[in-house]
Amino acid sequence: MTIQLIHAINQVIKFGLEPNLTINKNERDLLLERSLINIYSLYFDINYEYDDADYKEYNEYKYADIRKNVEHNFPDFGFYTNALDILDLENKDNFGLGDAADDLTDIILDLLQIKWRIENNSPNDGLWYFQLIFASHTQQHIIDLLNYLKQRK
């Protein structure tokens, strides 16, 4: 599983690590969409043994650096609206403002930490963190970004 996960992570993080990707817009969006769906799918196959080792902490990449590369690779990304609570049908003020570049930047930062933990701490630590961060943070960004990509078509 970790080999598949690292490969899937690499497909997404390049958009935040490489500032000058030369992929046409349609191929770029399709590659991103496939890669995000692959990450989402791998979440359901997480299997690890928890260990309570005292691992070193991750502190590698900065938000601004990743965001700058994302904005360069996706200059057409913008803001969007979304329902804050899709089950609250009566609330007419139930909308929030989203940012596609922020979504991708946050996804990349989460994936970079998962990859780092797998490669530097242990596969179990990386998979534990994947389960933790995905359910509490990454998943919503992926859902929002996939919806944004769909709505733009």
Side-chain angles (χ1 to χ4, degrees):
M1 154 116 197
T2 55
I3 293 171
Q4 287 177 294
L5 181 57
I6 294 294
H7 177 72
I9 287 171
N10 287 338
Q11 294 301 306
V12 176
I13 64 175
K14 66 183 172 188
F15 294 112
L17 297 179
E18 300 175 31
N20 297 311
L21 290 175
T22 53
I23 304 171
N24 78 48
K25 180 185 177 300
N26 291 333
E27 288 177 24
R28 175 204 70 190
D29 288 359
L30 183 59
L31 176 61
L32 177 60
E33 189 173 358
R34 280 186 181 151
S35 300
L36 292 173
I37 291 168
N38 193 15
I39 294 287
Y40 200 108
S41 177
L42 288 170
Y43 169 74
F44 298 105
D45 296 327
I46 295 173
N47 187 14
Y48 67 92
E49 290 186 32
Y50 180 76
D51 66 57
D52 59 356
D54 189 20
Y55 292 115
K56 58 185 176 179
E57 288 298 315
Y58 171 83
N59 191 8
E60 291 283 320
Y61 296 95
K62 300 211 178 341
Y63 179 92
D65 298 331
I66 300 298
R67 171 123 188 173
K68 184 173 89 175
N69 290 338
V70 165
E71 288 175 344
H72 188 270
N73 288 318
F74 293 90
D76 54 329
F77 270 17
F79 295 102
Y80 59 88
T81 59
N82 60 0
L84 299 174
D85 180 355
I86 64 169
L87 300 178
D88 186 359
L89 301 177
E90 304 302 318
N91 185 353
K92 302 290 187 224
D93 299 320
N94 189 23
F95 293 98
L97 185 64
D99 177 358
D102 175 71
D103 287 331
L104 184 52
T105 300
D106 279 0
I107 291 165
I108 290 168
L109 288 168
D110 291 350
L111 296 177
L112 283 166
Q113 184 165 177
I114 294 164
K115 179 180 177 181
W116 184 90
R117 286 174 176 263
I118 289 170
E119 295 175 343
N120 293 282
N121 289 350
S122 76
N124 282 327
D125 184 56
L127 293 174
W128 164 81
Y129 189 74
F130 180 28
Q131 186 175 49
L132 173 75
I133 198 67
F134 188 87
S136 64
H137 186 252
T138 316
Q139 184 179 36
Q140 190 61 55
H141 281 295
I142 289 175
I143 290 168
D144 291 343
L145 187 53
L146 287 171
N147 191 38
Y148 175 80
L149 292 168
K150 169 67 176 145
Q151 295 293 322
R152 289 182 354 145
K153 290 181 183 178

